[in-house]
C-alpha cells in the first residue's frame, strides 16, 4: 500500500493533489501545531495579471495549539472573499464549472479550522475525480509525542504502508536508508511545470488549484494530476 501524509492547506496548488492521486491512502495531520507563516489557511490567486493572497482569518489562540484546536474568526467575510474570486475569474473559460464548488467550500458552516479545511479537500478531490482514501492522523494510534520522521514511520507501520511518498520539499528531511530498515520504500514526488493561458498575460505558476480549475477543463486537469509528475 502506498501512503502519503501532509498537513492540510486551503485550496493548495496542483502538486498537492498530484501527491494525493499518487497514493492509495492519504493521511491529513490534524494533531500537529498550527504554523502562522505557512499556507494552512491562505493561498494565492490571479488578480489583474499578478499573484495575490486570499486567506481565512482565525480567532486568536495560543501558538502551541494544534490545527484541530484553532477556530475561524467570527469576522470572516465569506461574501467578500467570494466576490473577490468572482471578480478575478468571471471571464475565465471554466468559471461556471468551478465557482459553484468554491462557493460550497467557502460557505461551509463549520468554524473549526481543521474540519473546514478537510471539507474543502474532500470536495475538491471529488470534483477532480480523485478516489484516494483520506484519513485523519489523530484517528490512527501512534505514540503522541513522536515528531518528524519518527512520526511518519510510526503512521506508515500502523496502516501497513510499504511505500511512503513525500513532497519533494522533504528530500533533505527523510532518510531512504532509515525507511528501508523498516521495510518501507521512500519516494519523492516532483511536479512538472503545467502552463496554461491566463487571459493572455504572462503565466503566473503554482497558484491555488482555484486558478487551475478556472482555466482548464476537468479532463485536462485530471490528466495532469495523474501523469504530470515524476517519482524519485
Amino acid at each position: 500500500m502506498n501512503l502519503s501524509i501532509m498537513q492540510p492547506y486551503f485550496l493548495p496548488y496542483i502538486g498537492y493533489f498530484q501527491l494525493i492521486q499518487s497514493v492509495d491512502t492519504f493521511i491529513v495531520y490534524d494533531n500537529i501545531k498550527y504554523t502562522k507563516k505557512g499556507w494552512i489557511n491562505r493561498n494565492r490567486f490571479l488578480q489583474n495579471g499578478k499573484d495575490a493572497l486570499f486567506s481565512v482569518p482565525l480567532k486568536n489562540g495560543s501558538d502551541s495549539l494544534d490545527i484541530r484546536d484553532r477556530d475561524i474568526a467570527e469576522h470572516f467575510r465569506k461574501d467578500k472573499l467570494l466576490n473577490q474570486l468572482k471578480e478575478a475569474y468571471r471571464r475565465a473559460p471554466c468559471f461556471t464549472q468551478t465557482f459553484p464548488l468554491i462557493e460550497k467550500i467557502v460557505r461551509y458552516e463549520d468554524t473549526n479550522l481543521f474540519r473546514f479545511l478537510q471539507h474543502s479537500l474532500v470536495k475538491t478531490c471529488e470534483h477532480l475525480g480523485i478516489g484516494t482514501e483520506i484519513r485523519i492522523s489523530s484517528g490512527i494510534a501512534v505514540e503522541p509525542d513522536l515528531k518528524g520522521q519518527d512520526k511518519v514511520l510510526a503512521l506508515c507501520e500502523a496502516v501497513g504502508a510499504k511505500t511512503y511518498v513525500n513532497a519533494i520539499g522533504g528530500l533533505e528531511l527523510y532518510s531512504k536508508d532509515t525507511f528501508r530498515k523498516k521495510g518501507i520504500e521512500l519516494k519523492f514526488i516532483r511536479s512538472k511545470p503545467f502552463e496554461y493561458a491566463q487571459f493572455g498575460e504572462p503565466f503566473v505558476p503554482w497558484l491555488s488549484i482555484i486558478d487551475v480549475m478556472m482555466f482548464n477543463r476537468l479532463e485536462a486537469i485530471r490528466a495532469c494530476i495523474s501523469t504530470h509528475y515524476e517519482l524519485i
Side-chain angles (χ1 to χ4, degrees):
M1 187 257 280
N2 296 342
L3 174 71
S4 186
I5 311 166
M6 287 286 286
Q7 64 185 19
Y9 298 106
F10 187 47
L11 295 164
Y13 83 122
I14 194 169
Y16 191 96
F17 295 95
Q18 289 174 323
L19 181 59
I20 299 174
Q21 172 69 35
S22 72
V23 296
D24 303 305
T25 299
F26 184 79
I27 296 175
V28 188
Y29 279 128
D30 65 330
N31 55 352
I32 60 170
K33 191 169 74 170
Y34 168 81
T35 52
K36 285 184 178 180
K37 295 182 179 180
W39 296 93
I40 293 172
N41 59 308
R42 63 177 185 154
N43 220 291
R44 301 185 305 144
F45 72 109
L46 188 69
Q47 187 176 56
N48 300 321
K50 298 180 180 180
D51 66 303
L53 283 173
F54 65 89
S55 63
V56 176
L58 303 181
K59 286 184 179 179
N60 291 332
S62 168
D63 289 345
S64 65
L65 289 176
D66 286 346
I67 296 172
R68 63 181 176 176
D69 298 319
R70 297 301 304 265
D71 290 306
I72 297 170
E74 293 177 0
H75 65 263
F76 177 27
R77 297 173 61 187
K78 297 182 177 184
D79 285 337
K80 181 179 178 180
L81 174 56
L82 287 169
N83 287 336
Q84 191 178 32
L85 294 172
K86 186 175 183 178
E87 181 60 27
Y89 290 108
R90 59 186 173 82
R91 295 184 294 108
C94 300
F95 175 83
T96 56
Q97 79 175 16
T98 303
F99 193 73
L101 169 69
I102 304 307
E103 191 167 31
K104 182 184 297 183
I105 287 170
V106 173
R107 292 196 186 282
Y108 188 57
E109 293 184 354
D110 202 314
T111 59
N112 174 267
L113 175 62
F114 177 77
R115 291 194 296 269
F116 186 83
L117 297 176
Q118 181 196 20
H119 174 263
S120 70
L121 178 63
V122 169
K123 291 302 176 183
T124 305
C125 284
E126 289 176 357
H127 185 75
L128 298 176
I130 298 172
T132 300
E133 177 190 31
I134 297 177
R135 299 182 63 179
I136 300 171
S137 61
S138 63
I140 301 168
V142 298
E143 172 60 46
D145 294 328
L146 293 174
K147 305 291 183 185
Q149 180 173 266
D150 291 335
K151 188 167 188 174
V152 170
L153 283 166
L155 287 166
C156 285
E157 292 182 307
V159 300
K162 297 302 180 184
T163 302
Y164 177 70
V165 183
N166 199 82
I168 194 68
L171 198 58
E172 304 299 324
L173 300 177
Y174 302 113
S175 164
K176 289 201 172 191
D177 286 341
T178 302
F179 275 77
R180 192 176 296 115
K181 289 175 182 177
K182 295 283 189 177
I184 302 166
E185 184 179 9
L186 173 62
K187 294 184 177 181
F188 296 91
I189 188 169
R190 177 187 286 139
S191 298
K192 297 178 181 178
F194 179 52
E195 189 166 328
Y196 46 89
Q198 294 171 324
F199 299 131
E201 300 291 334
F203 182 66
V204 182
W206 308 126
L207 299 179
S208 162
I209 192 67
I210 292 174
D211 193 79
V212 176
M213 295 190 296
M214 288 290 185
F215 289 108
N216 297 274
R217 295 176 62 84
L218 282 173
E219 294 82 0
I221 301 172
R222 289 168 179 165
C224 177
I225 287 173
S226 297
T227 64
H228 217 61
Y229 63 82
E230 58 182 341
L231 293 175
I232 61 174

